[in-house]
């Protein structure tokens, strides 16, 4: 059966001392979570966060991005190999902020996914529609394109290493959350696309997380949906108590 996962995307927040304090505070609340937890700090804190969590069950570390290139003269970039060498096991690819501010399209994202997999990192691949797509009713086409163009070249074995996140862009950091019905509709749609491409067994084994203003007060309802397997949490992951409450809102596997 698929895993329930709660991942915290800290984005470009915290100083080193805040990052260590945030992990310490979370671990004081929850050193052995029942649900799989993934922490995604900024690059400079991957090593200390891996150090603080490496002996704990059910807690992993993700980078928030990786380069589509393997190595070389790409000043300021961080490769998947570098990330893997820190002990991190995951990398977020295709977050809407990367798509929007850094113009990452599906071709670039497919190369990032390939680099992640070649270096034994599990990609957490994000999809989601803009507000206009939701209002125009073409959100399913957008999501299908984001999945097929960046992921569906993968072999079945590779696809098994991918975690998906549905993050409607209009809900990220806005305080607007998709209703459980809206989120469940898209999660079920994503699972049906996986089933068409890779078969039912793989589709049912893939974790699909919801992201977009997920908070302790709406997490339980969202996570109760059949096809929602946890969350990718932005703002609320910067507060240990809120993040802990969201982790606790996950249904038992
Ligand atoms: C995110 O950035 O992945 C996210 C879901 O942010 P927030 O929870 O703040 O909406």
């Amino acid at each position: 059966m698929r895993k329930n996962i709660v991942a915290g995307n800290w984005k470009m927040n915290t100083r080193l001392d805040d990052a260590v304090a945030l992990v310490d505070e979370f671990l004081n609340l929850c050193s052995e979570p029942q649900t799989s937890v993934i922490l995604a700090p900024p690059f400079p804190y991957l090593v200390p966060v891996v150090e603080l969590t490496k002996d704990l069950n059910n807690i992993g570390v993700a980078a928030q991005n990786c380069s589509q290139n393997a190595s070389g003269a790409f000043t300021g970039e961080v490769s998947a190999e570098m990330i893997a060498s820190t002990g991190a096991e995951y990398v977020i690819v295709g977050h809407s902020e990367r798509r929007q501010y850094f113009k990452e399209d599906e071709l670039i994202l497919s190369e990032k996914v390939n680099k992640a997999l070649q270096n034994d990192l599990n990609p957490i691949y994000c999809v989601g529609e803009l507000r206009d797509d939701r209002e125009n009713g073409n959100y399913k086409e957008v999501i299908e394109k984001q999945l097929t163009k960046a992921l569906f070249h993968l072999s079945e074995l590779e696809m098994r290493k991918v975690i998906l996140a549905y993050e409607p862009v209009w809900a990220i950091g806005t305080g607007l959350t998709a209703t459980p019905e809206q989120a469940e509709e898209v999660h079920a749609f994503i699972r049906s696309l996986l089933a068409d491409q890779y078969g039912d067994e793989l589709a049912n084994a893939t974790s699909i997380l919801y992201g977009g203003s997920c908070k302790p007060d709406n997490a339980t309802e969202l996570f109760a949906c059949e096809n929602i397997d946890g969350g990718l949490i932005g703002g609320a992951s910067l507060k240990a108590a809120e993040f802990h409450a969201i982790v606790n809102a996950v249904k038992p596997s």
Side-chain angles (χ1 to χ4, degrees):
M1 200 45 198
R2 58 185 177 259
K3 254 194 199 173
N4 289 318
I5 299 168
V6 176
N9 173 14
W10 298 1
K11 311 194 187 191
M12 197 171 73
N13 291 299
T14 71
R15 291 164 39 104
L16 175 58
D17 49 355
D18 306 319
V20 170
L22 180 55
V23 177
D24 279 343
E25 210 185 319
F26 177 71
L27 295 182
N28 281 336
L29 294 168
C30 178
S31 57
E32 290 198 8
Q34 298 306 301
T35 298
S36 232
V37 170
I38 300 173
L39 304 176
F43 285 131
Y45 317 145
L46 285 174
V47 170
V49 175
V50 166
E51 273 303 306
L52 286 165
T53 56
K54 68 177 183 216
D55 297 326
L56 303 172
N57 282 332
N58 262 350
I59 304 189
V61 178
Q64 298 173 17
N65 177 36
C66 68
S67 173
Q68 65 272 35
N69 297 297
S71 66
F74 299 101
T75 301
E77 286 288 90
V78 175
S79 71
E81 186 180 18
M82 292 172 181
I83 294 165
S85 75
T86 69
E89 295 163 299
Y90 305 87
V91 59
I92 299 173
V93 178
H95 191 281
S96 65
E97 288 150 18
R98 302 289 319 171
R99 293 176 190 264
Q100 186 181 350
Y101 304 135
F102 301 95
K103 307 289 171 243
E104 294 185 359
D105 61 14
E106 271 76 39
L107 179 62
I108 292 176
L109 296 175
S110 69
E111 289 166 358
K112 290 184 181 222
V113 166
N114 292 345
K115 286 290 174 300
L117 290 166
Q118 285 158 14
N119 288 283
D120 285 330
L121 292 173
N122 299 85
I124 303 172
Y125 181 72
C126 305
V127 297
E129 80 282 3
L130 301 173
R131 182 196 282 269
D132 277 357
D133 304 318
R134 170 62 54 178
E135 285 171 358
N136 297 338
N138 63 333
Y139 52 98
K140 288 190 180 167
E141 284 92 321
V142 170
I143 287 155
E144 182 165 1
K145 174 174 158 271
Q146 292 171 339
L147 282 173
T148 50
K149 294 212 162 172
L151 285 190
F152 283 3
H153 63 286
L154 297 178
S155 70
E156 192 185 316
L157 209 64
E158 289 169 327
M159 192 64 207
R160 283 187 190 279
K161 298 182 180 149
V162 177
I163 298 166
L164 293 174
Y166 168 55
E167 300 206 302
V169 180
W170 48 271
I172 295 181
T174 59
L176 296 173
T177 315
T179 63
E181 293 73 26
Q182 286 173 321
E184 171 61 16
E185 184 201 22
V186 176
H187 282 238
F189 174 65
I190 293 172
R191 210 176 296 289
S192 75
L193 294 174
L194 287 174
D196 292 346
Q197 186 71 18
Y198 294 100
D200 286 343
E201 194 276 324
L202 184 143
N204 285 325
T206 302
S207 301
I208 310 176
L209 316 184
Y210 169 79
S213 299
C214 186
K215 308 276 182 227
D217 60 0
N218 57 28
T220 308
E221 257 194 320
L222 285 159
F223 298 166
C225 297
E226 189 183 334
N227 286 290
I228 301 183
D229 310 311
L232 177 54
I233 316 301
S237 70
L238 293 167
K239 296 188 184 119
E242 283 195 24
F243 189 58
H244 178 232
I246 295 172
V247 170
N248 278 347
V250 171
K251 56 188 179 260
S253 296

